[in-house]
């Protein structure tokens, strides 16, 4: 068997066999197939896609390239939520305590962010003393006490994905639906869960800019999940403006805590409640989303979800008093009010530009080596559908160093678009797709 023959078949749109996929990927991982041949194969996939059979085998080989973790000691219905990312996406922070209060467990791998703002790890690291679990045993111990388990990605889990992604990044093959789907799902399948919920973002601040592309990615991932006999559902959500109001790590933690107190922004609250209700539906506790949302409201109103969050922080080495005293989180030195130069209804907020405006003052990373300032960020005070007068404050920049603040303010002003006609508030969830 030769790599060149497999590349030729994929180039000519012929289906490759399980044995050929296994040969190609296993030998690439062992560095017996060079980058230039794998790059040629990836480009052939980029143009020709994969059949269902190819996709399942490709994902299986990816998953099995490293450790597969079964949380056999976790004594709850186990839900893994994955987001394709966006600006102000702090869903995990609010969602997992809610699911815990509802009797479910959630153990997931999370990464550091690169780009707009920090990843889930960066947000939690805004909490002084907080330590992520380093081993499966630590995750299980904390998850059994709190219902919540978070662990950083390990090189031992799906190592092939990291190797392939580095190659895709420099060969213009990142934007391939089958390759994106297999990358995400191989990591989801490497960690045992009873159910997977996918939050696929679409819009200006998302990787998938259009609804048809987001739907195709969601349907492809659902196909993989079904092929591996997992309970799986996908939510396609709106990222045409920042999610919620807070962009930046400590600010997003605060907004998530406020949501657990019932005071969260409407769009963020709706998304979190619907995902939690979907988890209840997958578990079989409710028949409809409405029933599920009612149960979610109960655990928010009685503060049991907030108590689960505080317990998780305590068990992870942080101070649980942060739920009552936000001064325990990193504090910024000053704020700059961004005032509108126009009058009208906000018709659009370019989420990616707001994310970049937060990044340049230290809330995100331009490169992997950059240090994040957990205290800084942007507060979006006017959202799509709001009426704004000239001179109204539409956003606040929370900063420590002033050198890039004016540049950040100009980026935020450029992100806002206005209409003289009334604009309806956009819905946060476009579609819910089931396997």
């Amino acid at each position: 068997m030769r790599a060149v023959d497999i590349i030729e078949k994929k180039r000519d749109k012929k289906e490759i066999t399980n044995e050929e996929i296994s040969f190609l990927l296993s030998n690439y991982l062992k560095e017996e197939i060079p980058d230039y041949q794998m790059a040629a194969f990836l480009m052939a996939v980029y143009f020709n896609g994969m059949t269902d059979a190819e996709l399942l085998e490709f994902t299986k080989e990816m998953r099995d390239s490293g450790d597969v973790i079964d949380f056999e000691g976790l004594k709850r219905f186990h839900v893994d939520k994955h987001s394709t990312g966006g600006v102000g996406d702090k869903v995990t922070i609010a969602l997992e305590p809610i699911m815990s209060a509802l009797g479910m467990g959630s153990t997931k791998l999370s990464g550091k962010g690169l780009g707009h703002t920090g990843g889930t790890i960066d947000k939690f690291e805004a909490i002084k003393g907080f330590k992520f679990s380093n081993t499966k045993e630590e995750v299980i111990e904390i998850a059994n006490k709190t219902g919540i388990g978070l662990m950083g990605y390990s090189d031992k889990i799906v190592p092939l994905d990291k190797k392939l992604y580095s190659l895709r990044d420099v060969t213009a093959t990142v934007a391939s639906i089958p390759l994106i789907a297999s990358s995400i799902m191989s990591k989801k399948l490497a960690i045992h869960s009873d159910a997977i919920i996918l939050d696929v973002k679409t819009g200006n601040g998302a990787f998938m800019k259009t609804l048809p592309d987001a739907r195709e990615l969601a349907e492809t991932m659902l196909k993989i999940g079904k092929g591996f006999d997992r309970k799986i559902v996908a939510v396609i959500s709106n990222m045409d403006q920042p999610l919620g109001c807070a962009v930046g790590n400590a600010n997003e933690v605060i907004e998530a805590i406020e949501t657990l107190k019932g005071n969260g922004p409407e769009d963020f609250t709706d998304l979190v409640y619907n995902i939690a209700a979907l988890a209840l539906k997958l578990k079989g506790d409710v028949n409809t989303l409405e029933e599920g949302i009612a149960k979610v409201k109960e655990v928010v109103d009685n503060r049991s979800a907030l108590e689960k969050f505080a317990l998780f922080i305590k068990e992870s080495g942080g101070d649980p008093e942060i739920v009552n005293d936000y001064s325990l989180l990193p504090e910024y030195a000053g704020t700059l009010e961004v005032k509108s130069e126009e009058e009208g209804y906000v018709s659009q907020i370019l989420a990616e530009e707001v994310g970049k405006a937060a990044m340049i003052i230290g809330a995100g990373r331009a490169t992997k080596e950059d240090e994040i300032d957990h205290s800084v960020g942007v507060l979006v005070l006017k959202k799509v559908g709001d009426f704004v007068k000239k001179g109204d404050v539409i956003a606040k920049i929370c900063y420590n160093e002033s050198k890039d603040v004016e540049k950040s303010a100009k980026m935020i002003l450029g992100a806002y678009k206005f209409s003289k006609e009334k604009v309806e508030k956009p819905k946060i969830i476009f579609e819910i797709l089931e396997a």
Side-chain angles (χ1 to χ4, degrees):
M1 196 175 293
R2 300 188 309 162
V4 66
D5 298 323
I6 300 169
I7 296 165
E8 185 178 325
K9 282 182 73 174
K10 177 46 68 178
R11 181 199 67 189
D12 295 342
K13 301 182 181 179
K14 296 175 182 176
E15 187 171 63
I16 54 179
T17 67
N18 290 353
E19 292 76 16
E20 287 169 330
I21 292 171
S22 178
F23 171 84
L24 190 71
L25 294 183
S26 62
N27 283 291
Y28 179 64
L29 187 61
K30 291 186 287 188
E31 299 188 347
E32 293 176 5
I33 287 176
D35 279 350
Y36 63 82
Q37 285 191 307
M38 182 55 73
F41 176 79
L42 294 173
M43 189 60 76
V45 170
Y46 180 89
F47 283 111
N48 297 330
M50 289 188 188
T51 66
D52 291 353
E54 287 173 340
L55 185 63
L56 289 179
E57 183 61 24
F58 194 91
T59 305
K60 177 180 176 295
E61 289 292 330
M62 294 262 286
R63 180 197 67 180
D64 294 346
S65 67
D67 292 346
V68 177
I69 299 177
D70 185 2
F71 290 109
E72 65 278 350
L74 191 61
K75 302 165 187 172
R76 294 167 177 248
F77 183 81
H78 183 190
V79 182
D80 190 352
K81 188 274 301 179
H82 174 81
S83 168
T84 56
V87 180
D89 184 9
K90 73 288 291 181
V91 169
T92 294
I93 306 172
L95 176 67
E96 296 208 349
I98 288 172
M99 291 200 296
S100 173
L102 291 166
M104 294 177 283
S106 181
T107 306
K108 71 190 298 291
L109 297 182
S110 297
K112 290 181 178 287
L114 181 61
H116 310 318
T117 55
T120 300
I121 282 182
D122 298 298
K123 299 181 205 305
F124 274 102
E125 285 183 346
I127 301 167
K128 186 178 179 181
F130 187 94
K131 297 293 182 188
F132 275 83
S133 300
N134 291 315
T135 66
K136 180 176 76 169
E137 290 71 27
E138 288 178 10
V139 171
I140 291 172
E141 183 181 356
I142 291 177
N144 275 328
K145 289 178 182 176
T146 69
I148 305 164
L150 289 172
M151 186 176 175
Y153 278 113
S154 162
D155 289 341
K156 294 181 180 179
I157 297 170
V158 198
L160 187 56
D161 178 62
K162 186 175 182 180
K163 189 172 170 66
L164 281 176
Y165 191 87
S166 297
L167 187 60
R168 288 167 58 204
D169 195 33
V170 295
T171 57
T173 54
V174 169
S176 160
I177 296 285
L179 296 176
I180 296 168
S182 62
S183 173
I184 293 170
M185 290 303 295
S186 63
K187 288 175 283 197
K188 296 295 102 183
L189 295 165
I191 308 296
H192 170 76
S193 60
D194 296 301
I196 299 170
I197 300 177
L198 304 167
D199 180 9
V200 181
K201 309 288 189 186
T202 185
N204 170 265
F207 185 69
M208 310 309 293
K209 303 296 184 188
T210 70
L211 183 57
D213 283 348
R215 187 184 296 117
E216 184 183 353
L217 175 60
E219 288 173 345
T220 304
M221 291 192 290
L222 289 175
K223 198 180 294 180
I224 294 171
K226 189 175 181 181
F228 283 86
D229 295 321
R230 292 288 180 90
K231 291 182 178 180
I232 185 167
V233 64
V235 174
I236 301 180
S237 65
N238 191 340
M239 191 43 75
D240 257 336
Q241 63 175 336
L243 180 60
C245 300
V247 180
N249 300 283
N251 285 343
E252 291 188 39
V253 171
I254 292 170
E255 187 161 89
I257 293 171
E258 284 298 307
T259 302
L260 292 173
K261 294 177 180 178
N263 305 322
E266 184 179 350
D267 59 343
F268 179 61
T269 299
D270 284 352
L271 182 59
V272 170
Y273 281 24
N274 273 276
I275 292 175
L278 275 173
L280 283 172
K281 196 175 173 193
L282 287 170
K283 184 172 182 276
D285 284 359
V286 299
N287 294 315
T288 66
L289 279 179
E290 291 73 21
E291 288 177 71
I293 290 170
K295 286 183 176 289
V296 173
K297 287 178 179 176
E298 283 178 24
V299 299
V300 170
D301 290 345
N302 66 24
R303 295 295 177 103
S304 60
L306 185 68
E307 289 168 8
K308 291 291 186 183
F309 180 80
L311 179 61
F312 174 64
I313 298 304
K314 180 182 177 182
E315 292 294 329
S316 302
D319 187 342
E321 266 304 299
I322 66 162
V323 301
N324 302 310
D325 183 0
Y326 299 144
S327 71
L328 295 171
L329 288 161
E331 294 186 299
Y332 45 84
T335 61
L336 174 69
E337 293 182 338
V338 181
K339 296 180 180 179
S340 177
E341 297 175 347
E342 299 182 53
E343 178 172 301
Y345 292 92
V346 180
S347 60
Q348 189 179 18
I349 306 172
L350 301 176
E352 189 169 349
E353 287 302 297
V354 176
K356 289 176 181 176
M359 182 186 72
I360 65 169
I361 60 167
R365 294 182 182 87
T367 70
K368 288 186 285 188
E369 291 73 30
D370 288 350
E371 290 290 324
I372 274 186
D373 183 341
H374 293 95
S375 66
V376 302
V378 173
L379 298 175
V380 178
L381 303 181
K382 296 293 184 180
K383 302 280 299 250
V384 173
D386 292 340
F387 182 75
V388 172
K389 293 180 181 178
K390 189 174 181 178
D392 281 355
V393 178
I394 55 176
K396 282 186 181 179
I397 301 172
C398 310
Y399 66 90
N400 279 322
E401 296 182 16
S402 59
K403 64 174 184 175
D404 287 317
V405 173
E406 291 296 335
K407 183 179 177 182
S408 177
K410 286 180 182 176
M411 292 173 75
I412 292 168
L413 283 172
Y416 272 80
K417 309 299 177 186
F418 295 91
S419 169
K420 297 298 180 186
E421 305 298 321
K422 187 172 181 179
V423 175
E424 296 297 321
K425 289 187 180 294
K427 57 184 178 180
I428 185 64
I429 295 176
F430 290 121
E431 296 176 14
I432 295 174
L433 305 177
E434 298 184 46

